[in-house]
Amino acid sequence: MGSFENLLTTMDNGTLTITINRPDKLNALNKKTIEELNVALKNAEGDGVVKVIVITGSGPKAFVAGADISEFADFNVEQGKALSADGQKKLFDVIQNLTKPVIAAINGFALGGGLELAMACHIRVASDNAKMGLPEVSLGVIPGYGGTQRLTQLVGKGKAFEMIMTADMINAEDALKWGLVNHIIAQENLLTKCNELATKIISRSPSAIASAIRSVNANFQDSVNGFEVEIEEFGKCFATQDFKEGTTAFLEKRKPNFTGK
Ligand code: COA
């Protein structure tokens, strides 16, 4: 997987866990960490052994407490635009469009870029102590890593405006109620819960899951008709070995053995 300054990686039964490891800065996303995440995710995409990716933060306090404020405090307009565009391209869009499922294990504060990171993931599981928010307007900026778009998609316009305008944090219960996270679990069981989800997903067809990711994402792309994408992706499944295996196993009353081909 490579060695990283700000990431720890572990592999277990097809699940790659990436831990963002800057606990003394509450795992704030600096440039180096974004670049390392880009490399780790690209490697994971090309590595046949990796079936599901879990992203979490080190320590009991924070998932990620935002973009590293110390890196952009003196930026001008052009640098600000480049920060947003580069981050979106290198990390947030990469996660969203990865053809392997990415689960955010939110183990504490997920603020600003940290919540944006979690929202770019396909599934979010929060520990019961998690606090989530987009505090950017309290710094005089707006969310720039996709937060205005993905929060609106996840919780709707009214709640997104409230979270962004107040800059307040919400707790895990509210996040669950609002549809921002899929599950809440005691902190000590967070990774176990994510691994259970991963194990279930790993038993399914990887090629069908990749098609499902492309189809669901198409719902959020302007000038793309998601129903048309679904038709294409549905059709493509019929050329896969996984489809033959899945249907044959069903008819033979046995468990399928998918290869992702
Ligand atoms: N960027 C850079 N450094 C950060 C950071 C961020 N987003 N979030 C936390 N840190 C650093 C702090 O500066 C501090 O570093 P120091 O020990 O060298 O001074 C360290 O992480 C610990 O944070 P601290 O603020 O002392 O912890 P706390 O428990 O008092 O407060 C938070 C926790 C999350 C409420 C607080 O750190 C915070 O508000 N962070 C910024 C959140 C934010 O606005 N994010 C959006 C950025 S766009």
Side-chain angles (χ1 to χ4, degrees):
M1 193 31 70
S3 82
F4 301 105
E5 194 177 300
N6 298 332
L7 305 180
L8 304 170
T9 59
T10 55
M11 264 303 293
D12 184 23
N13 281 325
T15 301
L16 171 71
T17 302
I18 301 176
T19 305
I20 299 169
N21 188 34
R22 296 181 77 212
D24 53 329
K25 296 290 174 196
L26 303 185
N27 307 319
L29 286 181
N30 60 357
K31 197 161 180 256
K32 176 97 184 159
T33 307
I34 290 180
E35 266 154 23
E36 290 190 344
L37 281 165
N38 173 276
V39 172
L41 290 163
K42 288 281 166 76
N43 288 349
E45 177 127 70
D47 184 343
V49 177
V50 177
K51 307 292 185 204
V52 172
I53 297 140
V54 174
I55 300 180
T56 193
S58 73
K61 194 168 165 183
F63 173 68
V64 169
D68 192 320
I69 299 168
S70 67
E71 280 191 345
F72 61 77
D74 61 354
F75 274 11
N76 63 25
V77 170
E78 287 313 315
Q79 289 169 308
K81 275 175 76 172
L83 179 75
S84 171
D86 285 355
Q88 290 196 20
K89 186 161 152 243
K90 280 194 183 141
L91 180 55
F92 300 82
D93 294 351
V94 168
I95 293 177
Q96 173 172 294
N97 296 318
L98 212 77
T99 53
K100 297 177 180 179
V102 187
I103 302 174
I106 306 173
N107 57 308
F109 288 115
L111 303 175
L115 183 56
E116 290 173 302
L117 177 67
M119 291 193 296
C121 295
H122 303 122
I123 293 172
R124 281 154 294 286
V125 182
S127 61
D128 48 8
N129 66 324
K131 290 264 171 31
M132 285 154 264
L134 292 179
E136 283 85 349
V137 299
S138 68
L139 298 168
V141 286
I142 63 166
Y145 286 151
T148 63
Q149 305 303 296
R150 292 195 182 94
L151 185 64
T152 310
Q153 289 164 1
L154 282 164
V155 305
K157 195 172 170 184
K159 291 196 166 76
F161 266 137
E162 184 178 334
M163 278 183 75
I164 292 168
M165 288 173 175
T166 63
D168 279 345
M169 297 182 209
I170 62 170
N171 62 23
E173 281 78 29
D174 283 341
L176 183 69
K177 217 163 51 194
W178 292 12
L180 187 51
V181 301
N182 300 43
H183 303 278
I184 310 179
I185 189 97
Q187 191 177 45
E188 61 271 24
N189 299 325
L190 178 64
L191 288 182
T192 308
K193 174 73 188 172
C194 292
N195 282 324
E196 279 168 16
L197 279 170
T199 302
K200 173 86 59 86
I201 292 168
I202 287 168
S203 72
R204 312 307 187 200
S205 156
S207 65
I209 284 171
S211 282
I213 292 172
R214 286 189 287 269
S215 301
V216 173
N217 282 346
N219 185 244
F220 303 102
Q221 284 170 272
D222 287 336
S223 74
V224 170
N225 182 328
F227 289 97
E228 294 292 339
V229 172
E230 183 182 281
I231 290 166
E232 284 301 311
E233 293 292 340
F234 181 79
K236 273 164 44 186
C237 294
F238 288 75
T240 64
Q241 289 174 22
D242 275 4
F243 173 70
K244 296 260 174 312
E245 171 63 11
T247 47
T248 306
F250 178 81
L251 295 171
E252 291 176 357
K253 300 191 189 306
R254 62 172 173 83
K255 282 204 165 140
N257 183 16
F258 291 119
T259 59
K261 301 213 171 83

